[in-house]
Amino acid sequence: MKRYFLFSANLLLIIIVVISLQAQKIQSLPKRQLSYSRLTSGLNVPNFEKGRSDFVMDDINNDGHVDILSIGDHGSPLFNTDQHGIMIWFNDGQGNFNLHMNGHFGYGGLAVGDVNNDGFKDFGMGMHHNYSPTNFGNQLIEVALGDGTGLQWTPWDQGLATNGETYGMFGTDLGDVNNDGLLDLVSISFGAGAGFHVYLNQGDGSWIPSFGILGNNSDMIIQFADLNNDGNLDFIAAHATGTAYFGDGNGNFVKNDTGLPYYGASVSRKGISVGDINNDGSFGLAFINNNGGVEVYEFNDVTNSWVSYSGNLPASGSFQLTQLYDMNADGYTDVMAFGDRTFMLWFGDGNGNWTIGATFQTPQTPGYAQAFRAGGDLNKNGFGDLVFLVREGSWMVYTNKMYVYAENSVPDELWIRSLYPKGNEKFFPGSTRFIQWASAVPGGLPSTVKIELSATGANGPWVTIAEDIPNNGKYQWITPESGSENYYLKLTVTSDNQSASMITAAPFTVFGAAIILGDANCDGIVNMLDAITIVNYITGNDPQPFCFENADIDGNGIVNLFDFISAIELIRHFQKRFKYLIYK
């Protein structure tokens, strides 16, 4: 049973100050050097062969520990290796992993998300070896539904790979491109030929193509992101026809590479990744230039062109893949690069100045990058970790080897920080996005997270959108229906009877009318608290806050019993429409 207390103004002020100090404490985390150690327990299987691959770090069974997923390299399924199908290294949180493999397919890329909004994580994949004798793994592009265990999968893929894809697909991502609350899919060709394609999720296991091209060369990487902060998802593609494609919110896209260096009509940009470099709410991109150096760009919406934030990053080298992620959780996106055995991390400051934060080498030559992912916190110390697939040995007998590295810090206090949104982002109402955070838990003890939302500033009032969820760094979220330029998130982590909270440093925006009928207490959600607020108003209890225009549902200038009855009907509607937002 929930109870609601009325705090005095002084007590409320004390609480706000404490939360503010906690936020400032995390904001000022020092840019000390990070260091990494290799994890090996359970990670020596299966054996890999050769060729490119991909990894995802996500808590696939929702037990609070970030797992590692892949569909393997050229050796999958069962070509000179024992790898096959979807491979999941389940993490026990103590540095040990247990591999489970399911299916007869492989060699490609994948992404994780809840595509049917049932609360269980699913995955989408693009592959070259669609050799399965069953419906699970017999298409070049597929989506499969999970049951919450990570062990069983059900194909949900009608209409995928029907837009001219004939040879092989690879990099794949999931994101809500038309802002309808359902995750859509994009996938890019394995090498030359099949181009890249966007498919819209119809919510019933079927998908329809909305955009795509065929032909030309590919570097096999594609990712959704809002590149110009207009609320619509765009994508970057490692493809010779272009890199940056801007969405209109209906599944259509237009290329704009103005300002990016040109490498030739048949040359795809190498090693691309996305992240918000300057904290303006839009995502920039990193890539490897033709000299093996690292470059970073952000899109300038005023000039409608890309602007370099490369600063003092190396203009040449032997790097092959990049990643963008806030590895030290200081509020600024960092850039990483890997190639020829060498990993380097540069801390960002939001202005294009870069400071070396870590460097090391993998053991064997030549150490060519075949896959690279950064960000999932495998050991609960609050800092992102790393997964590589590396080509080793001589050119006649080379083979791939998987390496997993965890950051070495040992936390001495409990803390949490929002990584996305962190401020200045723009969203359309009812769209699906992923809230992401970093959190340190001393001793790696069990922990849970509560996520609250305010539509009226950093002082609340707050409405809970998720609570007692696993502290795994990621939550799939449907944005609220009501518009505001003053939304804030508050995240609270709880472990061993202790809690720590933080509020996003800047507001973000949800488009739409600032007034939503039924939202009597102005918190952006229509629920039973609004019915209680209306009753308190009718009975003269002067509820605060109170949005009269929202409460006057029938628009007659009076808030009375008829508005209360209408509010109950609206609550039923919103509970059905946004049950995963309000109660999940």
Side-chain angles (χ1 to χ4, degrees):
M1 178 178 179
K2 292 184 178 179
R3 297 180 179 178
Y4 301 93
F5 298 92
L6 180 63
F7 292 97
S8 70
N10 289 337
L11 181 57
L12 182 59
L13 179 60
I14 292 172
I15 293 172
I16 292 170
V17 169
V18 170
I19 292 173
S20 176
L21 289 174
Q22 178 70 14
Q24 292 175 22
K25 186 176 185 179
I26 302 302
Q27 175 76 26
S28 61
L29 286 173
K31 288 186 186 304
R32 61 169 183 77
Q33 290 277 305
L34 301 181
S35 65
Y36 298 85
S37 295
R38 184 183 174 193
L39 302 179
T40 59
S41 179
L43 296 169
N44 57 344
V45 289
N47 57 316
F48 288 84
E49 194 205 25
K50 59 185 179 181
R52 291 281 291 273
S53 188
D54 191 15
F55 294 103
V56 168
M57 288 190 276
D58 205 307
D59 179 10
I60 198 67
N61 58 353
N62 222 35
D63 67 350
H65 306 307
V66 174
D67 309 306
I68 303 171
L69 297 85
S70 179
I71 62 170
D73 66 7
H74 180 269
S76 182
L78 304 174
F79 293 118
N80 304 314
T81 73
D82 52 355
Q83 58 183 312
H84 63 91
I86 175 71
M87 302 186 294
I88 304 174
W89 292 264
F90 289 102
N91 179 10
D92 71 355
Q94 302 299 316
N96 307 301
F97 294 81
N98 181 44
L99 174 65
H100 178 81
M101 298 185 286
N102 188 334
H104 189 79
F105 55 84
Y107 198 17
L110 74 166
V112 170
D114 183 0
V115 299
N116 63 341
N117 289 342
D118 67 348
F120 299 132
K121 293 184 179 180
D122 317 308
F123 78 95
M125 56 183 170
M127 71 183 104
H128 186 31
H129 296 164
N130 57 321
Y131 300 154
S132 175
T134 71
N135 191 28
F136 182 42
N138 66 346
Q139 296 178 190
L140 297 178
I141 304 174
E142 286 205 14
V143 168
L145 300 181
D147 64 357
T149 67
L151 303 177
Q152 301 295 326
W153 304 95
T154 302
W156 213 64
D157 56 11
Q158 182 182 348
L160 291 172
T162 59
N163 200 28
E165 307 92 330
T166 58
Y167 178 61
M169 301 301 290
F170 217 86
T172 301
D173 204 3
L174 296 169
D176 184 3
V177 302
N178 56 355
N179 303 310
D180 66 349
L182 296 170
L183 292 177
D184 308 303
L185 179 145
V186 66
S187 188
I188 194 169
S189 175
F190 166 81
F196 48 81
H197 304 270
V198 176
Y199 287 86
L200 300 182
N201 183 355
Q202 302 303 290
D204 59 0
S206 65
W207 305 75
I208 59 172
S210 71
F211 179 80
I213 66 169
L214 295 170
N216 226 312
N217 294 317
S218 159
D219 191 43
M220 306 185 204
I221 300 174
I222 199 161
Q223 287 185 270
F224 282 126
D226 187 352
L227 303 175
N228 58 350
N229 204 22
D230 66 350
N232 296 315
L233 280 187
D234 317 304
F235 67 85
I236 60 164
H239 198 267
T241 59
T243 302
Y245 287 80
F246 292 80
D248 66 354
N250 297 304
N252 307 304
F253 295 85
V254 175
K255 181 184 73 173
N256 187 351
D257 284 358
T258 303
L260 294 176
Y262 178 70
Y263 295 137
S266 60
V267 179
S268 58
R269 208 173 301 279
K270 304 295 184 182
I272 60 175
S273 58
V274 291
D276 185 355
I277 306 300
N278 59 0
N279 287 349
D280 67 348
S282 65
F283 276 57
L285 64 94
F287 57 89
I288 304 300
N289 64 29
N290 277 3
N291 297 315
V294 183
E295 298 196 32
V296 176
Y297 280 75
E298 276 269 355
F299 190 76
N300 186 315
D301 198 40
V302 176
T303 63
N304 202 37
S305 64
W306 291 91
V307 177
S308 176
Y309 274 71
S310 302
N312 57 318
L313 291 172
S316 63
S318 56
F319 297 110
Q320 290 122 18
L321 293 174
T322 71
Q323 288 281 273
L324 287 167
Y325 195 85
D326 185 358
M327 296 295 283
N328 60 349
D330 70 342
Y332 298 107
T333 296
D334 310 313
V335 61
M336 291 153 280
F338 180 77
D340 287 3
R341 297 181 57 203
T342 300
F343 165 80
M344 292 196 71
L345 179 155
W346 295 268
F347 292 138
D349 68 351
N351 296 307
N353 304 304
W354 306 95
T355 305
I356 293 178
T359 183
F360 62 81
Q361 289 189 320
T362 54
Q364 304 297 324
T365 59
Y368 192 86
Q370 302 290 58
F372 176 25
R373 286 280 186 172
D377 184 2
L378 301 173
N379 57 356
K380 291 289 180 63
N381 69 350
F383 301 126
D385 299 320
L386 310 163
V387 183
F388 305 96
L389 191 67
V390 182
R391 191 181 80 184
E392 298 178 343
S394 67
W395 72 272
M396 292 289 288
V397 291
Y398 65 78
T399 187
N400 286 339
K401 192 169 185 66
M402 176 183 177
Y403 290 95
V404 178
Y405 289 87
E407 208 283 323
N408 291 321
S409 301
V410 177
D412 57 7
E413 63 179 325
L414 187 69
W415 57 260
I416 191 167
R417 177 178 184 82
S418 178
L419 300 180
Y420 183 84
K422 53 186 176 180
N424 299 314
E425 298 87 355
K426 296 182 176 68
F427 306 107
F428 280 94
S431 60
T432 291
R433 296 294 185 265
F434 293 97
I435 296 172
Q436 297 183 64
W437 65 89
S439 176
V441 182
L445 296 175
S447 55
T448 59
V449 167
K450 180 179 182 180
I451 306 175
E452 298 172 274
L453 180 71
S454 168
T456 55
N459 295 332
W462 301 97
V463 59
T464 299
I465 60 176
E467 60 183 332
D468 296 325
I469 60 174
N471 184 17
N472 56 24
K474 188 176 182 181
Y475 177 77
Q476 188 167 317
W477 172 52
I478 297 178
T479 60
E481 285 290 296
S482 57
S484 171
E485 296 181 351
N486 207 22
Y487 272 108
Y488 282 79
L489 285 180
K490 179 167 73 172
L491 305 179
T492 302
V493 58
T494 300
S495 177
D496 194 28
N497 296 318
Q498 297 185 36
S499 295
S501 298
M502 74 91 58
I503 297 170
T504 46
F508 59 89
T509 296
V510 176
F511 297 125
I515 296 172
I516 180 168
L517 291 179
D519 179 23
N521 65 349
C522 326
D523 64 3
I525 301 290
V526 177
N527 56 24
M528 283 304 299
L529 291 178
D530 299 299
I532 294 171
T533 299
I534 292 174
V535 169
N536 285 337
Y537 177 82
I538 294 172
T539 57
N541 287 331
D542 189 25
Q544 294 293 329
F546 182 68
C547 290
F548 183 90
E549 291 183 81
N550 291 353
D552 181 19
I553 298 172
D554 58 13
N556 65 354
I558 301 172
V559 175
N560 55 24
L561 183 61
F562 295 106
D563 296 299
F564 170 78
I565 295 171
S566 297
I568 295 298
E569 293 302 314
L570 284 172
I571 290 164
R572 291 174 180 171
H573 165 74
F574 274 86
Q575 285 177 347
K576 182 178 180 180
R577 173 65 177 87
F578 296 111
K579 60 182 177 180
Y580 302 107
L581 170 64
I582 301 172
Y583 294 113
K584 187 174 177 181

